[in-house]
Amino acid sequence: MKTEFRASGDRSLLAVYGSGVDQAANEKVRQMAALLSGRSHPGIEAAVGSYCTLMLHYNPLHIGFEELTRHLLDLEKTLGEVVVEGAKTVEIPVCYGGEFGPDLSFVAQHAGMGTNEVIALHSAVSYHIYAIGFAPGFCYLGGLDPRLHAPRLMTPRQNVPAGSVGIAASQTGVYPLASPGGWQLIGRTPLRLFAPERQQPILYQPGDSIRFRPVAEDEFRHIYQLDNP
Amino acid sequence: MTTALRILTPGLCTTVQDLGRFHAYHMGVPASGELDDYAGQVANWLVGNPATAATLEMSMIGASMEILAASDIAITGAAMNPQLNGRPCRQWTSFFVKPGDILELGAADNGCRAYLAITGGIDVPLVLGSRATYLGGRLGGFQGRMLAAGDVLARGAGPLQKAPKTLPWFPLYPETIFLRAIAGPHDGYFCNQLARFFSTPFTVSSQCNRMGVRLAGDAIERDADAPESILSEPIAPGNVQIPAGGQPIVLLKEQTIGGYTNIATVVSSDIWRMGQAKPGDQVRFVRIDLHEAHALYRDWQAFLAGIESLLAGC
């Protein structure tokens, strides 16, 4: 598909590289974002990607909309020649069930299987990170096993602890920070997924994959102490 | 660093803000910052600070505080009837305060948000390059939260001014707010309603916060063949979302990605006007094209630079 450019106000340009949850379009978004952040371009202030769209925040005093689109099309032509840092798989330890995953048994019942089977299926695959946003470090993941799809809570919880791993319809993911939330909570990670004082505040980027590794409660507490000084 | 202020009563929603955090969008961290950055910058220039210094943003009801260090202070934005030691003092002008002074602000008479700048700027740690509070992410500002009674704030170093500075005029905040906006990025989902969107008045509802302002009015319906929501996309400040129900939401500075269609986007030189919108105000969108919007942007930047040099000179 030919890239489509839309104005999102006078300081932001939305480049559309495809439609739907499409790994090829997402790859293009990721590579363009990497190219743009790797060099400095006069007037381009930030690039943020999602599933199949990339937004450029720009300063109209330094670059116009047409010039920016030409620049992006030129960059697109070089995509084949550029080696972007390889995608990695980040392992996230999760203690499933109990106080950490109060809705694990509901998800198991809903799926018509045992809780161990839910844990095995949820931790069996790597989830592609399509986008990061909505909240600091929050990932939009693809690839949840259809057998694990489960409805959102009828009434959202007022306070979901940081690190909670949840399921909502066809999505799975982790709450990096404590917040209200309506997902079915099946476990919790002891890792601090967003730590603004770290050199790298988050452990992953779009294009990487996340794999959940089941851990017992004592390992959870051990890692928690190491990661939460 | 100088211990400068003790909060006695915090007001309704008082936070530390600056011009925003622009290099962490890719981690899901939005810009945040002064919702009326026009008033925020002028407050800083009045006390001799750069535009980027941190200020206090107070919404609807202002804070009271005890002064702990000799400083220049300026209050701009919404009219909140400030009093220094029980005596009324003017806004949009700088004044000198000394330890033991009590500064009290009241409810907003005109506009919604007031800005307090102090010599050297409010000194809180830089988080990802900015001092702005991001309430949703609990980061930046003063411990990532709204100020509370008893909080003690420091200020940066800076020379005290020999004489007060005054802006020779100041903006009033009308109850009918005109917002110039560009159609899109999803105007294609609203072909049948676009003209109506740009001719209908909306009312600011009580659901407004630093994330966005929800408007009430005749519902804007998407075209019959258009989807209700979209796959999550990056968003920009000023985007006007049309969620199910058709009541528009003007997004401010606290989000990076969203899943609703945006019928139009308020131009950046007008977004500050939404920072002064209060429940009951009327909003009307005025359609302009991108070319006009960029001309406006240049004019607006020149206007701000003019104020800066005017206040630097006096």
Side-chain angles (χ1 to χ4, degrees):
Chain A
M1 149 180 173
K2 195 164 169 286
T3 307
E4 200 185 311
F5 299 103
R6 298 186 198 149
S8 189
D10 59 338
R11 300 203 54 179
S12 306
L13 174 151
L14 193 68
V16 182
Y17 291 103
S19 62
V21 181
D22 170 2
Q23 212 154 327
N26 188 246
E27 181 73 6
K28 206 161 180 181
V29 168
R30 183 175 83 88
Q31 292 197 7
M32 288 295 289
L35 270 179
L36 286 157
S37 62
R39 310 175 199 171
S40 102
H41 298 272
I44 300 181
E45 292 170 346
V48 53
S50 186
Y51 286 92
C52 49
T53 47
L54 179 69
M55 184 171 277
L56 277 307
H57 299 281
Y58 66 98
N59 184 341
L61 295 183
H62 301 300
I63 192 165
F65 188 87
E66 300 299 329
E67 193 187 343
L68 189 52
T69 60
R70 280 197 302 274
H71 180 63
L72 291 175
L73 287 172
D74 285 346
L75 269 187
E76 229 180 286
K77 286 183 204 139
T78 70
L79 278 187
E81 308 155 19
V82 178
V83 182
V84 177
E85 191 188 333
K88 59 185 185 294
T89 298
V90 178
E91 195 179 83
I92 294 187
V94 178
C95 187
Y96 287 92
E99 60 166 305
F100 300 133
D103 305 320
L104 178 65
S105 51
F106 171 84
V107 172
Q109 250 172 27
H110 186 264
M113 57 178 73
T115 53
N116 284 339
E117 218 177 328
V118 172
I119 296 170
L121 283 176
H122 189 258
S123 57
V125 296
S126 294
Y127 299 96
H128 180 79
I129 302 177
Y130 281 93
I132 293 172
F134 167 67
F138 183 87
C139 295
Y140 292 88
L141 299 174
L144 179 66
D145 190 307
R147 284 170 288 180
L148 296 182
H149 294 190
R152 287 165 196 267
L153 297 182
M154 295 289 278
T155 312
R157 286 185 173 86
Q158 285 297 311
N159 196 14
V160 174
S164 294
V165 176
I167 286 176
S170 61
Q171 288 178 285
T172 186
V174 191
Y175 289 91
L177 300 168
S179 70
W183 291 25
Q184 305 281 354
L185 305 183
I186 59 170
R188 198 186 306 167
T189 178
L191 292 182
R192 279 181 76 207
L193 296 181
F194 177 76
E197 78 284 2
R198 277 198 308 243
Q199 182 73 27
Q200 297 290 343
I202 54 178
L203 309 166
Y204 36 68
Q205 53 183 348
D208 289 343
S209 295
I210 281 182
R211 186 158 184 154
F212 298 108
R213 177 172 66 88
V215 297
E217 199 173 325
D218 54 351
E219 191 178 349
F220 176 97
R221 302 214 183 274
H222 179 66
I223 299 172
Y224 186 88
Q225 278 175 0
L226 291 176
D227 209 38
N228 292 264
Chain B
M1 185 176 101
T2 309
T3 305
L5 302 170
R6 177 182 290 112
I7 300 295
L8 303 175
T9 59
L12 204 57
C13 174
T14 299
T15 57
V16 178
Q17 297 295 343
D18 63 12
L19 286 180
R21 184 175 281 111
F22 300 109
H23 303 291
Y25 291 139
H26 62 288
M27 292 188 268
V29 181
S32 307
E34 292 147 347
L35 293 185
D36 179 354
D37 49 5
Y38 169 32
Q41 290 179 76
V42 172
N44 273 321
W45 291 328
L46 285 167
V47 298
N49 289 343
T52 50
T55 59
L56 293 186
E57 179 183 275
M58 299 177 257
S59 296
M60 299 297 283
I61 300 172
S64 302
M65 58 202 83
E66 181 188 350
I67 306 298
L68 304 176
S71 310
D72 288 305
I73 277 181
I75 300 164
T76 62
M80 287 191 179
N81 306 301
Q83 297 202 329
L84 185 63
N85 302 323
R87 288 198 188 141
C89 54
R90 290 173 60 196
Q91 293 189 213
W92 301 91
T93 187
S94 68
F95 52 90
F96 180 72
V97 295
K98 58 187 189 312
D101 284 350
I102 302 291
L103 179 62
E104 297 167 288
L105 283 84
D109 280 345
N110 180 250
C112 180
R113 291 185 173 87
Y115 293 85
L116 182 150
I118 187 166
T119 307
I122 302 289
D123 191 8
V124 292
L126 281 169
V127 175
L128 301 169
S130 161
R131 296 185 165 84
T133 310
Y134 168 33
L135 287 173
R138 301 179 192 189
L139 66 88
F142 188 87
Q143 300 173 8
R145 61 168 170 82
M146 292 189 243
L147 296 184
D151 288 343
V152 173
L153 295 163
R155 67 167 176 83
L160 297 177
Q161 298 182 148
K162 294 186 183 69
K165 287 182 179 178
T166 302
L167 192 68
W169 76 95
F170 54 86
L172 290 172
Y173 304 110
E175 285 169 5
T176 298
I177 300 167
F178 288 89
L179 298 172
R180 288 162 291 191
I182 301 169
H186 306 116
D187 46 319
Y189 294 70
F190 299 93
C191 297
N192 299 324
Q193 300 262 296
L194 202 59
R196 207 160 71 81
F197 173 78
F198 282 108
S199 60
T200 308
F202 295 95
T203 305
V204 175
S205 80
S206 56
Q207 289 171 279
C208 45
N209 57 27
R210 286 189 44 83
M211 258 176 97
V213 177
R214 189 178 274 261
L215 304 176
D218 291 345
I220 300 295
E221 285 160 23
R222 55 185 54 73
D223 297 343
D225 55 347
E228 202 164 274
S229 63
I230 50 168
L231 208 52
S232 292
E233 275 188 13
I235 55 173
N239 275 164
V240 185
Q241 291 183 337
I242 306 291
Q247 307 293 318
I249 301 171
V250 182
L251 297 179
L252 300 173
K253 301 179 177 176
E254 302 258 298
Q255 250 178 298
T256 62
I257 284 184
Y260 289 114
T261 42
N262 298 301
I263 189 170
T265 306
V266 178
V267 300
S268 55
S269 49
D270 277 359
I271 294 174
W272 63 271
R273 298 178 197 277
M274 276 323 263
Q276 296 297 356
K278 56 186 187 307
D281 286 351
Q282 296 268 298
V283 168
R284 303 192 73 122
F285 295 96
V286 179
R287 185 172 183 176
I288 62 172
D289 65 27
L290 185 59
H291 183 73
E292 292 168 300
H294 281 164
L296 263 181
Y297 182 78
R298 286 190 291 274
D299 290 349
W300 180 247
Q301 294 304 313
F303 172 73
L304 290 176
I307 296 179
E308 182 179 16
S309 60
L310 177 75
L311 292 176
C314 60

